[in-house]
Amino acid sequence: MTAPAATPVPAIEARSLTCGYDGQAVLRDISFAVRPGEIFFVIGGSGCGKSTLLRSLIGITPPLAGEVRFGGQTFSDHDPVARRALLQTFGVLYQGGALWSSLTLRQNVALPLEEYTALAEGEIRELVALKLAQVGLTGFEDYYPAEISGGMKKRAGLARALALDPAIVFLDEPSAGLDPITSRRLDDLVRQIRDMFGTTLVVVSHELASIFSIADRVVMLDRGAQGIIAEGAPKELARNSRDPRVTEFLTRGDLLPQ
C-alpha cells in the first residue's frame, strides 16, 4: 500500500493570534494557514483589522497573544542573528510603494541587497536591473519616485520586495489609488511571480476585482466579531455563504463572481 503523501508545512501559520495596540485587542484568537505557493488574501471592510494583522505577521507589531510561524519556525525560536536571517525570507510591498523619494529606483531596489548581502557593487547593479525588468521597469533605473506614475511606484516597490528572492511576499493594498487597467496589470504581475517562482503571496485588500481575479483563498475579517468570519475560495463564499456580512461584502456593486 502506498503511504499517503505528507501534508506540506504551511508557508505561514497564525496560531490563536490576538493583535492590537497598547494592550487593546483589535483581533482576538484567530488562526489560519497559508499554503506554499498560494495567493492568499486578507479581506474585509475598513477598520476590520487587516493592516493590524499584517503588522503582526511581518513582525512590526508583536501579537498580544499567540504566534506566527514561517515554515514551522517562529521569531521566538531564534537568537537575533537567526531572526534577521528569517526576516530575509519574506518581502513587503507597503501601501503607496513606500519608496525613498531622494533615491532613484535603482537605489531603492539596491537597499536590501546592500543591507543583507555581501555582493559586490557590480553584482548588485545586475540584480537590480533584473528585478526592475521583472516588473516592467527597464529603462527607468535612474528615475526618482516623483517622476513616475502611481502604478510604476507600486511596481518599483514590488521589485524592491523581490530583491532578496523571498519565499513569501506581503502586499498591503497594492491596488489602492490605481485605475482599473493599472490595477489589472498589477494583478497579472502578482500571478506571474507566483507561477514563475513559486512565491507565496499574502495580499491585504478590499478590491473585489483583484480578489476574484487572483485569490486562491481568502480570510475575511469583521470589525464587530474582532476576528475571521469566513475562509475559502472567494467565488464559493460569494455563492454559498449564509453569513449576510460575507455575501454583502463579496456581491456589492456589479462585480458579481461568474
Side-chain angles (χ1 to χ4, degrees), residues 134-161:
Q134 287 175 355
V135 300
L137 288 176
T138 297
F140 290 90
E141 292 86 351
D142 295 318
Y143 281 63
Y144 288 89
E147 299 175 321
I148 60 176
S149 69
M152 294 170 75
K153 290 177 185 177
K154 294 287 182 76
R155 285 188 279 147
L158 183 56
R160 185 178 59 190

Side-chain angles (χ1 to χ4, degrees), residues 237-238 240-252:
L237 290 175
N240 302 322
S241 176
R242 296 183 180 181
D243 189 324
R245 298 167 296 181
V246 177
T247 54
E248 180 181 9
F249 181 88
L250 289 173
T251 60
R252 68 192 194 278

Side-chain angles (χ1 to χ4, degrees), residues 210-223:
S210 296
I211 292 167
F212 288 130
S213 174
I214 63 172
D216 294 315
R217 284 190 307 125
V218 306
V219 289
M220 182 172 172
L221 306 180
D222 179 76
R223 183 175 183 177

Side-chain angles (χ1 to χ4, degrees), residues 98-133:
L99 301 173
W100 292 95
S101 60
S102 61
L103 302 180
T104 65
L105 301 192
R106 184 197 316 276
Q107 292 168 330
N108 267 283
V109 178
L111 279 176
L113 293 166
E114 294 168 348
E115 176 72 17
Y116 290 105
T117 76
L119 295 174
E121 181 178 345
E123 293 173 311
I124 290 177
R125 195 175 185 89
E126 290 180 3
L127 275 174
V128 169
L130 174 62
K131 296 305 176 183
L132 287 171

Side-chain angles (χ1 to χ4, degrees), residues 33-56:
V34 182
R35 302 161 187 157
E38 188 170 40
I39 300 177
F40 185 90
F41 271 59
V42 178
I43 67 173
S46 298
C48 69
K50 298 189 299 295
S51 293
T52 300
L53 175 58
L54 177 64
R55 292 173 67 89
S56 289

Side-chain angles (χ1 to χ4, degrees), residues 190-244:
V190 168
R191 186 188 295 110
Q192 289 169 13
I193 290 167
R194 190 277 302 276
D195 293 346
M196 291 177 63
F197 306 110
T199 309
T200 302
L201 296 118
V202 177
V203 185
V204 170
S205 180
H206 65 275
E207 301 286 346
L208 288 186
S210 296
I211 292 167
F212 288 130
S213 174
I214 63 172
D216 294 315
R217 284 190 307 125
V218 306
V219 289
M220 182 172 172
L221 306 180
D222 179 76
R223 183 175 183 177
Q226 290 190 302
I228 296 171
I229 59 171
E231 179 175 354
K235 292 181 180 180
E236 292 180 6
L237 290 175
R239 295 189 185 107
N240 302 322
S241 176
R242 296 183 180 181
D243 189 324

